Amino acid sequence: MASDRQKHIRNFCIIAHIDHGKSTLADRLIEKTGVISEREMQEQVLDNMDLERERGITIKLQSVRLSYKAKDGQEYMFNLIDTPGHVDFTYEVSRSLAACEGAIVVVDATQGIEAQTLANVYLALDNNLELYPVINKIDLPSADPEFVKKEIEDVIGLDSANAALISAKDGINIEEVLEGVVQYIPCPKGDEEKPLKALIFDSLYDSYKGVIAYIRVIDGILKPGMRMRMMQNGKEYDVVEVGTFRPNMFPGNILMAGEVGYVTASIKNVKDIHVGDTITDAENPCTEALPGYRKVTSMVYCGIYPADGADYDNLRDALEKLQLNDAALLFEPETSVALGFGFRSGFLGLLHMEIIQERLEREFDLNLVTTAPSVIYHVIKTNGEKLEVSNPTNMPAPQEIDFMEEPIVKATIMTPTEYVGAIMDLCQNRRGIFKDMQYMEEKRAILNYELPLNEIIYDFFDALKSRTKGYASFDYELMGYEKSELVKLDIMLNGETVDALSFIVHKDKAYARGRAIAEKLKDVIPRQMFEIPIQAAVGQKIIARETVRALRKDVLAKCYGGDITRKKKLLEKQKEGKKRMRQVGSVELPQEAFMSVLKLND
Amino acid sequence: MKEIGLYLHIPFCRHKCLYCDFNSYEGREQEAARYIAAMLKELELYRNKHNLKYRTVYIGGGTPTVIHYALIRVVMERLQPDLLPGAEVSMECNPGTVTEESLNAYRRMGINRLSIGLQAWQQQLLRDIGRIHDAGTFVKSFGMARKAGFDNINVDLMFALPGQTQGMWEETLRAVAELGPEHLSCYSLKLEEGTRLHAMHQQGSLTLPDEEEDRRMYHSTAEILAGYGYHQYEISNYAREGRACLHNLVYWHNEEYLGLGAGSHSKLDGRRFWNYREPERYAGCVEAGSYPVEDGESISRAEDMWETAFLALRLNEGLSEADFEERYQASVDCIYGAKINKLKVCGLLEKKNGFVRLTAKGRDLSNLVFVELM
């Protein structure tokens, strides 16, 4: 039933573990199909956020349309939709997958399958995608493609007989991948005669064009002048422009069933566009919307405050702008005695949180103070009331609490077998419950653990990497909530509780954590005019105490004619440092103090 | 015509002290003649453009006395027409770098104030900071200076030195005060980056007095010297009545000065600017007929106010509200009122008889005050 036109379309994405060469392969595909000349080609075209390039990761999904003349003499239209690899961005991955018929699975010939690859492969299978395996980095001396082929068959259960063996870096066998896409990835099978049905898989706000919706047309056609309707809220708009990504937006006349592109309709309010929504023709609507996406669940929360209270409105504007393109970012106003007005913000995970913070500071030039991340706890009060608490300040008094629950995740860790002991030790320290372990070949194992989410949002990933020399990979999904003995740990400076430093911790860990934080704060709080006692307390009970000694001397002994300019610079620097401080009661706190609660070594 | 201060820099030293981060060079005295010629030429450059008269002159270094006194004399002769009557003319020297002959020459050429770098009384301490003299040499040089007619002498001392105890510091103060110089400068040792002492500290091979001991030495200084008739008039400076250093007061009153020589700084016509530090580069530039200025910056009204405030606060006298108002047509209260009140509450500042000044605690934590006022 696929039209002849659609037989020449391939919509696909690439899934891979970080560093396995997804972006490099995407670049080669773009290069080979000649969308842009080699000279114009900036490395890794699809990662166009500065941050993505620096960190070598893809955060926002990007899309590009390629044309490829295959060996059968036919011209094919490829829509390559990039996917983020990191576990935090599972939601974004599922969005790109829904716009595709197939996926290239890239596996590093020297590393084999990693946890992320597996997680994304499962997602792709859930979305009924055809998978086409590609083994990358065969140029490296340590490459073992035969081993990896076997692993693909054993672990994923995918026939690897036709896997392409390539080196994206050196451009080896890229043709074969392009041919493989034609051969193994199915063409779309929509009906252009039917009423319009298009999936919005991403959106972007442009100050000239308004909201730009990234869409995959399933059935029908979409062209300028048409009146389109959003199925979720019934809002209608006149289509102003449609086009494709090459990789920049390239206006066209029409988008037809099976195609990927964008549409603009002078939509001013981003909230009127819902990623996952279905667009249809207002004159001739389809009867049923596409299934859409599951709602994003924010797993990690933290308070974000402007370092300078005057920046509150700027921070809100910045968060709103980021939210336009990042449906997973949640925020609502909150106030803190220590930090003033700010926002409680929800994220997919710790990396997502760090990226948002960096983007706020970098792209919006904001100076931020963030509090330690928290998860959502369930508090069941003695009066039967059930609360969700993501801000420790909102935790009721202990006598009002009947019991509490905390989120538990199912964690999958892949590792060379020699590190199994170290990982078990780590998971045990983090209150993990061992479920099972499978051996792949002889060299690698998959460990399954149940872990409390609040044990992994701080530094679990770093600890895992350092204990396994970077060889282990890790993925997790939320399992549900379990009853847990949790307490609120307060930090007092100079006798006053600093609300922004409080956090919720398991009872058994409160003592060690409290002591570690007090010690850490002692190091990060600069000495001030008076002595500052630091106390960690659970309820009324002080569990740790440290002291920051009073500053006795801060003076420039010499200041003559030649010194003035230099001394002025020194004092200006000191002033800058002071500006980055928060006055909390009588104490000046550096911003890193608020994050110090999570950067503890164990 | 402008009446200002003049600083002349002589960047040569026999031996660089371990704590020194000044613009000075050891073993390059042979460049002195060319250097002095360049300085004379630089003086001419300013003479052609400005009409400057000097209330004070300060010849600093380096060690000005390591080059032949005749070279200093040439400069003094050339300066003569620009000196105002009664001008204070100071020169730095180190013990053992002067002779009866040179001291007589300095006195005759118009230098009327000497600043001798003793630093410490104890041989071991001196050796550990790389000084090449001892207390005996100092006493001898001091006596010769008196004999040559220098009736206005400063002695430079340092405390919080590696290995120094409270007792050693008190011994130093008393020994020097007994000799009766008109003025003492007492500096807390500051380890400056790039100095040998700083490197030694990084390697952990120094035992330095801690902050408490440093402050004990500092607080005892004013107390002991008061017993000998010296009063503290600046964070690190003490003098007999009427013997405060007029040249340095130019800086602390935020007045104008010209600096000649390598790396010298000037404040003139609303700008601060500074010369190339490297003596050869400096000389080459002047020889080519251009100003040897490396860079500079204009000072805004707000910056100038702050500089006036923070420099005056270094003085025990403090910031005169009347002078400030006359200078800026705005009252101290109007500009700094709220901040001053906050600092008063913290016990760092006090306001008395038309002056704002640091308290004793404020002198220990003066940077906090200056930063707050910024």
Side-chain angles (χ1 to χ4, degrees):
Chain A
M1 81 179 234
S3 64
D4 199 46
R5 184 185 52 81
Q6 287 185 81
K7 281 183 185 147
H8 295 98
I9 299 178
R10 295 293 181 273
N11 297 319
F12 64 99
C13 55
I14 306 176
I15 54 190
H17 187 76
I18 192 163
D19 287 342
H20 280 197
K22 181 180 56 137
S23 298
T24 320
L25 174 58
D27 287 353
R28 289 299 157 267
L29 297 178
I30 292 167
E31 215 174 73
K32 279 276 180 206
T33 51
V35 181
I36 34 181
S37 70
E38 220 166 301
R39 199 176 49 81
E40 288 169 321
M41 180 96 187
Q42 211 180 345
E43 278 291 291
Q44 309 204 336
V45 172
L46 290 184
D47 292 349
N48 70 6
M49 257 180 350
D50 282 356
L51 212 59
E52 294 186 335
R53 247 178 229 177
E54 274 171 39
R55 292 199 175 203
I57 55 171
T58 307
I59 303 159
K60 287 295 294 176
L61 47 105
Q62 304 288 340
S63 175
V64 62
R65 175 166 166 174
L66 317 168
S67 28
Y68 173 62
K69 194 165 166 107
K71 289 201 179 121
D72 61 10
Q74 311 271 331
E75 186 92 17
Y76 288 84
M77 176 207 294
F78 287 178
N79 287 301
L80 165 57
I81 297 167
D82 205 8
T83 58
H86 192 271
V87 20
D88 273 8
F89 300 101
T90 302
Y91 170 74
E92 302 241 350
V93 175
S94 61
R95 278 158 57 181
S96 18
L97 297 178
C100 301
E101 277 78 33
I104 298 176
V105 180
V106 179
V107 182
D108 187 321
T110 67
Q111 306 276 330
I113 294 166
E114 301 282 2
Q116 272 171 26
T117 327
L118 204 57
N120 289 338
V121 159
Y122 290 146
L123 274 178
L125 293 173
D126 287 348
N127 281 276
N128 298 317
L129 263 51
E130 260 329 299
L131 299 179
Y132 170 47
V134 164
I135 298 170
N136 191 21
K137 305 197 188 178
I138 54 155
D139 56 305
L140 295 182
S142 56
D144 190 351
E146 284 314 307
F147 170 79
V148 173
K149 270 188 170 185
K150 190 161 184 315
E151 208 179 47
I152 290 173
E153 297 198 339
D154 291 351
V155 179
I156 311 182
L158 199 62
D159 180 8
S160 59
N162 300 316
L165 303 183
I166 66 159
S167 164
K169 191 170 111 262
D170 296 344
I172 300 168
N173 284 343
I174 304 301
E175 277 305 317
E176 196 186 328
V177 178
L178 290 164
E179 283 298 318
V181 168
V182 171
Q183 212 175 327
Y184 302 114
I185 290 179
C187 65
K189 296 181 179 65
D191 186 345
E192 59 219 45
E193 301 299 329
K194 278 192 182 172
L196 171 68
K197 190 186 263 188
L199 171 74
I200 305 176
F201 65 87
D202 201 0
S203 70
L204 185 102
Y205 188 79
D206 180 280
S207 37
Y208 298 105
K209 296 180 174 175
V211 179
I212 299 166
Y214 289 35
I215 57 167
R216 158 69 198 272
V217 182
I218 308 292
D219 289 324
I221 59 158
L222 182 62
K223 57 183 181 183
M226 271 172 71
R227 191 149 181 87
M228 65 179 192
R229 178 187 297 161
M230 304 292 144
M231 302 249 332
Q232 210 177 88
N233 57 16
K235 291 212 170 158
E236 295 183 4
Y237 304 92
D238 292 321
V239 176
V240 173
E241 183 181 315
V242 297
T244 49
F245 305 101
R246 305 189 173 186
N248 297 322
M249 282 188 281
F250 188 84
N253 299 324
I254 190 166
L255 283 175
M256 299 172 80
E259 292 187 71
V260 172
Y262 68 91
V263 57
T264 72
S266 302
I267 305 170
K268 291 284 168 291
N269 194 343
V270 181
K271 295 194 173 112
D272 292 336
I273 292 283
H274 297 274
V275 170
D277 197 0
T278 306
I279 295 177
T280 190
D281 182 350
E283 319 278 302
N284 178 22
C286 60
T287 46
E288 216 174 300
L290 295 159
Y293 303 117
R294 67 186 161 94
K295 199 174 171 292
V296 201
T297 36
S298 298
M299 301 240 258
V300 177
Y301 285 78
C302 79
I304 298 186
Y305 292 81
D308 178 352
D311 276 336
Y312 177 79
D313 287 335
N314 297 335
L315 173 58
R316 192 192 48 224
D317 290 350
L319 282 166
E320 275 174 3
K321 289 213 177 91
L322 288 180
Q323 200 181 37
L324 298 184
N325 304 317
D326 187 348
L329 170 65
L330 301 179
F331 62 93
E332 56 181 40
E334 76 170 7
T335 47
S336 148
V337 179
L339 297 173
F341 293 99
F343 298 92
R344 174 97 338 208
S345 314
F347 309 93
L348 298 167
L350 206 60
L351 180 69
H352 187 213
M353 181 178 93
E354 279 176 19
I355 284 170
I356 293 292
Q357 285 168 5
E358 266 192 65
R359 290 189 67 186
L360 287 170
E361 298 210 325
R362 232 192 262 199
E363 293 169 31
F364 298 92
D365 198 23
L366 287 164
N367 202 347
L368 303 177
V369 183
T370 51
T371 64
S374 172
V375 301
I376 298 183
Y377 297 96
H378 291 166
V379 180
I380 291 83
K381 292 172 72 175
T382 45
N383 63 9
E385 197 187 335
K386 190 179 157 190
L387 297 178
E388 290 196 345
V389 173
S390 69
N391 180 349
T393 315
N394 299 335
M395 190 157 143
Q399 62 273 16
E400 292 175 32
I401 299 173
D402 182 11
F403 64 92
M404 285 180 72
E405 293 176 338
E406 66 175 326
I408 305 290
V409 299
K410 176 171 178 281
T412 307
I413 300 164
M414 284 191 157
T415 176
T417 45
E418 66 213 88
Y419 301 116
V420 164
I423 293 172
M424 287 182 155
D425 187 48
L426 173 67
C427 290
Q428 202 159 1
N429 288 344
R430 302 301 178 102
R431 299 190 284 131
I433 296 169
F434 174 79
K435 298 315 274 185
D436 57 53
M437 181 165 72
Q438 299 140 359
Y439 279 91
M440 300 150 61
E441 305 290 313
E442 266 139 48
K443 290 186 283 182
R444 297 211 303 155
I446 306 177
L447 284 100
N448 288 309
Y449 266 89
E450 285 179 20
L451 280 159
L453 182 60
N454 88 351
E455 294 286 345
I456 58 176
I457 56 169
Y458 299 111
D459 55 352
F460 182 81
F461 198 59
D462 291 341
L464 182 70
K465 288 280 166 197
S466 75
R467 283 175 188 227
T468 62
K469 302 200 171 81
Y471 281 115
S473 61
F474 164 66
D475 199 0
Y476 64 87
E477 58 179 297
L478 190 64
M479 277 175 56
Y481 276 76
E482 279 180 17
K483 222 171 178 175
S484 179
E485 301 250 20
L486 298 158
V487 293
K488 181 169 152 229
L489 183 70
D490 291 317
I491 302 291
M492 293 190 285
L493 299 178
N494 214 13
E496 291 171 63
T497 301
V498 181
D499 60 356
L501 288 175
S502 297
F503 63 99
I504 295 168
V505 63
H506 191 266
K507 179 174 70 69
D508 296 346
K509 298 208 138 184
Y511 183 74
R513 276 241 159 207
R515 216 174 31 186
I517 289 167
E519 278 166 19
K520 177 85 185 200
L521 284 172
K522 188 190 169 191
D523 291 339
V524 299
I525 298 176
R527 291 189 303 147
Q528 292 165 37
M529 281 177 57
F530 45 86
E531 188 178 281
I532 305 165
I534 303 168
Q535 292 161 302
V538 172
Q540 299 299 311
K541 195 174 166 215
I542 305 294
I543 56 171
R545 189 194 157 101
E546 293 284 340
T547 306
V548 180
R549 285 190 14 233
L551 178 68
R552 297 300 309 280
K553 179 194 171 197
D554 186 5
V555 55
L556 303 166
K558 283 190 182 189
C559 193
Y560 298 106
D563 304 311
I564 295 169
T565 306
R566 194 161 59 98
K567 301 277 149 101
K568 194 164 94 183
K569 295 261 161 6
L570 278 176
L571 292 170
E572 271 164 4
K573 221 169 134 193
Q574 194 167 338
K575 177 93 183 173
E576 276 310 303
K578 205 175 137 75
K579 269 197 201 150
R580 291 190 69 95
M581 298 282 214
R582 273 276 163 175
Q583 187 81 33
V584 176
S586 50
V587 180
E588 280 182 343
L589 270 187
Q591 294 173 22
E592 63 260 38
F594 296 97
M595 285 299 273
S596 66
V597 279
L598 52 141
K599 304 226 166 93
L600 301 169
N601 304 321
D602 69 344
Chain B
M1 187 197 64
K2 261 184 181 175
E3 299 184 359
I4 66 168
L6 175 68
Y7 176 79
L8 302 170
H9 190 69
I10 309 295
F12 306 109
C13 265
R14 196 154 290 162
H15 177 260
K16 189 145 175 123
C17 304
L18 301 185
Y19 56 83
C20 174
D21 75 329
F22 296 152
N23 189 31
S24 65
Y25 305 87
E26 55 182 37
R28 282 176 65 170
E29 293 96 311
Q30 71 281 4
E31 296 171 32
R34 180 188 173 195
Y35 180 84
I36 292 294
M39 205 174 199
L40 294 175
K41 207 158 183 180
E42 192 191 8
L43 179 66
E44 283 319 306
L45 289 173
Y46 284 97
R47 253 194 195 147
N48 294 340
K49 247 185 121 175
H50 300 263
N51 184 7
L52 303 173
K53 298 282 179 226
Y54 305 111
R55 285 190 278 136
T56 64
V57 177
Y58 195 99
I59 307 170
T63 314
T65 46
V66 299
I67 66 173
H68 198 279
Y69 59 80
L71 290 169
I72 303 287
R73 184 159 58 206
V74 184
V75 179
M76 286 303 298
E77 277 166 4
R78 193 70 66 86
L79 270 178
Q80 213 55 50
D82 300 336
L83 293 185
L84 289 164
E88 176 193 90
V89 183
S90 304
M91 186 176 70
E92 291 179 339
C93 67
N94 275 331
T97 62
V98 288
T99 60
E100 245 173 77
E101 180 194 347
S102 70
L103 285 165
N104 282 324
Y106 292 134
R107 190 67 198 90
R108 275 202 303 275
M109 64 180 85
I111 293 168
N112 51 30
R113 186 173 179 275
L114 273 191
S115 175
I116 310 176
L118 167 62
Q119 317 312 350
W121 195 258
Q122 297 77 12
Q123 181 82 39
Q124 188 60 45
L125 294 188
L126 289 169
R127 199 176 299 152
D128 289 349
I129 56 172
R131 300 289 294 183
I132 51 175
H133 57 81
D134 57 26
T137 321
F138 162 76
V139 174
K140 214 170 126 204
S141 298
F142 185 89
M144 288 195 297
R146 282 291 195 227
K147 210 171 140 206
F150 283 97
D151 59 1
N152 196 359
I153 298 180
N154 166 60
V155 178
D156 269 353
L157 298 176
M158 291 172 95
F159 61 91
L161 296 173
Q164 191 180 35
T165 62
Q166 177 71 26
M168 291 177 187
W169 175 237
E170 290 184 13
E171 181 188 26
T172 300
L173 284 174
R174 290 182 196 286
V176 173
E178 292 289 343
L179 284 173
E182 283 65 35
H183 189 285
L184 285 103
S185 297
C186 303
Y187 302 110
S188 169
L189 171 69
K190 169 101 179 20
L191 294 179
E192 299 285 357
E193 245 171 273
T195 60
R196 280 177 260 182
L197 215 57
H198 184 266
M200 286 159 73
H201 183 60
Q202 295 298 97
Q203 290 157 17
S205 59
L206 281 191
T207 323
L208 289 168
D210 65 20
E211 225 173 73
E212 303 284 329
E213 292 171 282
D214 173 298
R215 286 300 94 182
R216 192 162 351 121
M217 290 185 202
Y218 181 67
H219 295 149
S220 67
T221 305
E223 212 172 292
I224 290 171
L225 292 182
Y228 289 89
Y230 301 95
H231 68 274
Q232 183 181 24
Y233 72 100
E234 196 261 356
I235 287 176
S236 304
N237 286 280
Y238 307 80
R240 289 255 160 88
E241 202 52 51
R243 295 296 195 153
C245 175
L246 300 178
H247 182 79
N248 289 339
L249 284 171
V250 168
Y251 301 139
W252 296 321
H253 288 146
N254 199 18
E255 289 165 343
E256 293 187 303
Y257 54 92
L258 176 67
L260 301 182
S264 289
H265 285 236
S266 304
K267 187 200 180 197
L268 206 59
D269 301 332
R271 283 179 65 74
R272 290 192 186 280
F273 52 90
W274 48 92
N275 287 347
Y276 290 111
R277 279 172 72 85
E278 212 293 311
E280 271 199 54
R281 172 135 201 213
Y282 159 80
C285 196
V286 180
E287 285 157 8
S290 30
Y291 285 98
V293 173
E294 184 187 16
D295 206 354
E297 56 194 21
S298 324
I299 308 158
S300 70
R301 184 178 131 93
E303 279 176 287
D304 199 57
M305 282 185 188
W306 176 77
E307 286 177 11
T308 296
F310 109 83
L311 289 165
L313 285 172
R314 293 189 63 90
L315 297 168
N316 288 51
E317 171 190 76
L319 173 66
S320 156
E321 297 189 72
D323 290 354
F324 188 90
E325 192 159 349
E326 197 195 317
R327 186 162 176 171
Y328 298 108
Q329 302 302 310
S331 71
V332 171
D333 270 341
C334 159
I335 307 291
Y336 295 118
K339 291 173 168 179
I340 288 172
N341 279 336
K342 186 177 162 193
L343 292 163
K344 267 166 72 183
V345 172
C346 296
L348 298 176
L349 276 187
E350 61 187 16
K351 238 172 132 172
K352 234 186 211 167
N353 308 328
F355 283 85
V356 183
R357 60 173 71 103
L358 295 175
T359 59
K361 186 175 174 187
R363 262 189 293 282
D364 291 336
L365 301 170
S366 53
N367 287 350
L368 299 184
V369 176
F370 303 157
V371 165
E372 182 65 36
L373 294 180
M374 209 168 230

